[in-house]
């Protein structure tokens, strides 16, 4: 189990997309990856760490209604950038040994048209009314093609697709937090991720499998099926946190904004720690035939193989 000995915090105030771009431009290595389908918005990618090392890819706000994912993920990246992240050893290892690629907003059109607790789907879709997380097979939309070009170019060994959901969504089992992976062979890593999150959040976490039932068109499936030069399987995750929604009966907010920020940044931390552990495990497995796991942020040898 990975123990997070401190709380993450921060405000979740909905910005405009132009305000998000201002934050994005404060990073040193920013690239324009193309226009969205409307032609009115530029999409951006941030790179951090060591560009010559194995890549970890994070994307967020594929659905504009799930804008909170962009806020907690960019705050996490800003703390890495500014050396204000409290786990200094984790930060040093991550930035020295890995190449981080981060796309903060996949759907800027929807992002700019949502509200703090949107109760319907105005901001979920792009300008053509397309759910972008169903387009990673046909790639009919500019947004998904732009992200695909990044995925194909950097060949990450670990991928995180950040989402939020409204209470009652199928597969949520009435819970507030979800971690899903892509293949049976990475279940132990997903379980370490999810079980550690349960301890941190002090509540149950749904574990999504997928495997052959994973729909074509999901970004998680596209990355799950891609090979990379570093590990036998590409870690491909989705995380979900229940979000507030304004309904006709009133505000439905199972979690506070502060809890969403805390759990979201905790998910980011656990994703990176377990991904680094997976990569190190593969190196040891190749060189010595043993396997590593993670315990309270440190690596230790264990006897099972993935």
């Amino acid at each position: 189990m990975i123990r997070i000995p401190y709380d993450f915090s921060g405000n979740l105030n909905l910005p405009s997309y132009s305000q998000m771009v201002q934050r994005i431009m404060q990073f040193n290595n920013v690239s324009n990856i193309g226009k969205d389908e409307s032609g009115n918005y530029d999409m951006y990618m941030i790179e951090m760490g060591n560009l010559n090392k194995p890549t970890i890819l994070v994307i967020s706000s594929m659905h504009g209604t799930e804008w909170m994912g962009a806020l907690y993920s960019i705050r996490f990246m800003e703390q890495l950038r500014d050396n204000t992240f409290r786990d200094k050893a984790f930060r040093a290892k991550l930035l020295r040994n890995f190449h981080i690629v981060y796309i903060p907003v996949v759907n800027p059109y929807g992002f700019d048209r949502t509200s703090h607790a949107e109760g319907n789907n105005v901001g979920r879709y792009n300008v053509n009314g397309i759910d972008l997380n169903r387009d990673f097979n046909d790639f009919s939309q500019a947004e998904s093609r732009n992200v695909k070009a990044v995925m194909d170019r950097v060949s990450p060994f670990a991928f995180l697709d950040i989402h939020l959901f409204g209470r009652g969504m199928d597969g949520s089992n009435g819970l507030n937090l979800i971690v899903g992976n892509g293949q049976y062979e990475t279940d132990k890593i997903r379980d370490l991720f999810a079980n550690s999150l349960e301890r941190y959040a002090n509540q149950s976490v749904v574990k999504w499998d997928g495997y052959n039932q994973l729909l074509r068109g999901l970004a998680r499936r596209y990355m799950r099926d891609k090979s990379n030069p570093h590990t036998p399987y590409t870690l491909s995750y989705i995380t979900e946190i229940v979000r507030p929604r304004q309904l006709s009966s009133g505000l439905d907010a199972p979690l506070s904004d502060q809890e969403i920020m805390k759990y979201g940044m905790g998910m980011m931390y656990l994703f990176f720690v377990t991904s680094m552990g997976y990569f190190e495990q593969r190196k040891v497995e190749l060189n010595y035939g043993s396997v590593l796991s993670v315990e309270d942020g440190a690596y230790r040898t264990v006897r099972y193989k993935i």
Side-chain angles (χ1 to χ4, degrees):
M1 198 78 72
I2 302 165
R3 179 175 174 269
I4 306 176
Y6 43 80
D7 283 340
F8 297 105
S9 62
N11 295 320
L12 282 173
N13 298 317
L14 175 60
S16 66
Y17 184 65
S18 63
Q19 290 171 325
M20 276 296 294
V21 171
Q22 292 176 16
R23 290 180 71 171
I24 290 167
M25 290 303 176
Q26 297 303 307
F27 287 81
N28 292 328
N29 194 343
V30 178
S31 302
N32 185 325
I33 63 172
K35 293 283 188 183
D36 80 326
E37 187 71 18
S38 76
N40 295 322
Y41 297 93
D42 291 313
M43 295 172 59
Y44 295 97
M45 171 183 77
I46 295 168
E47 295 179 86
M48 300 177 69
N50 190 330
L51 273 64
N52 297 314
K53 295 295 185 178
T55 300
I56 300 173
L57 173 62
V58 178
I59 68 173
S60 64
S61 290
M62 190 178 296
H63 302 131
T65 48
E66 299 163 23
W67 60 270
M68 290 177 169
L71 270 289
Y72 73 66
S73 59
I74 200 167
R75 179 170 175 80
F76 190 97
M77 299 300 186
E78 287 168 342
Q79 290 188 357
L80 293 180
R81 178 195 67 196
D82 299 339
N83 197 17
T84 56
F85 200 88
R86 293 177 65 181
D87 189 336
K88 303 300 184 183
F90 157 80
R91 176 186 180 272
K93 179 187 258 318
L94 178 63
L95 297 182
R96 181 177 64 247
N97 296 323
F98 298 93
H99 172 214
I100 302 168
V101 177
Y102 169 50
I103 303 175
V105 181
V106 174
N107 182 5
Y109 178 90
F111 189 98
D112 235 7
R113 285 160 177 80
T114 194
S115 62
H116 182 273
E118 184 179 321
N120 54 30
N121 289 327
V122 172
R124 179 177 176 85
Y125 306 106
N126 77 346
V127 67
N128 293 330
I130 299 297
D131 184 336
L132 295 174
N133 204 28
R134 302 297 184 272
D135 195 44
F136 278 77
N137 185 58
D138 297 335
F139 298 101
S140 66
Q141 304 299 298
E143 296 92 340
S144 45
R145 290 194 297 270
N146 292 340
V147 175
K148 177 183 185 296
V150 173
M151 292 170 162
D152 293 348
R153 178 170 64 82
V154 303
S155 296
F157 76 91
F159 167 71
L160 174 60
D161 187 11
I162 294 171
H163 287 262
L164 293 95
F165 68 95
R167 176 152 54 179
M169 180 184 70
D170 289 346
S172 64
N173 300 341
L175 301 179
N176 298 325
L177 304 171
I178 299 168
V179 176
N181 65 326
Q183 61 277 101
Y184 170 79
E185 292 84 357
T186 61
D187 275 1
K188 286 190 175 71
I189 305 166
R190 182 212 53 200
D191 290 350
L192 177 62
F193 183 165
N195 293 341
S196 299
L197 178 62
E198 285 188 341
R199 181 163 77 172
Y200 181 61
N202 194 30
Q203 58 185 285
S204 297
V205 173
V206 178
K207 299 172 184 175
W208 277 354
D209 296 325
Y211 313 144
N212 293 331
Q213 289 73 42
L214 210 56
L215 294 176
R216 292 190 182 277
L218 299 178
R220 176 162 128 254
R221 171 153 181 169
Y222 181 74
M223 282 307 313
R224 186 275 309 267
D225 292 341
K226 283 186 65 63
S227 61
N228 75 82
H230 304 291
T231 55
Y233 302 99
T234 298
L235 293 179
S236 187
Y237 286 111
I238 188 170
T239 55
E240 297 263 10
I241 302 177
V242 70
R243 66 178 182 88
R245 291 186 303 162
Q246 189 65 49
L247 306 178
S248 58
S249 57
L251 180 66
D252 179 45
L255 297 177
S256 68
D257 288 2
Q258 293 73 25
E259 287 173 317
I260 291 172
M261 176 65 80
K262 172 181 174 176
Y263 302 153
M265 292 186 70
M267 284 173 159
M268 294 277 292
Y269 178 78
L270 293 168
F271 164 71
F272 280 117
V273 170
T274 54
S275 296
M276 289 192 294
Y278 173 60
F279 179 79
E280 294 294 330
Q281 169 182 305
R282 180 59 178 165
K283 286 202 308 182
V284 171
E285 195 173 36
L286 288 172
N287 293 331
Y288 305 106
S290 58
V291 180
L292 293 181
S293 183
V294 183
E295 180 75 24
D296 290 344
Y299 301 111
R300 63 183 179 87
T301 302
V302 295
R303 293 181 179 175
Y304 60 75
K305 283 185 178 290
I306 290 175

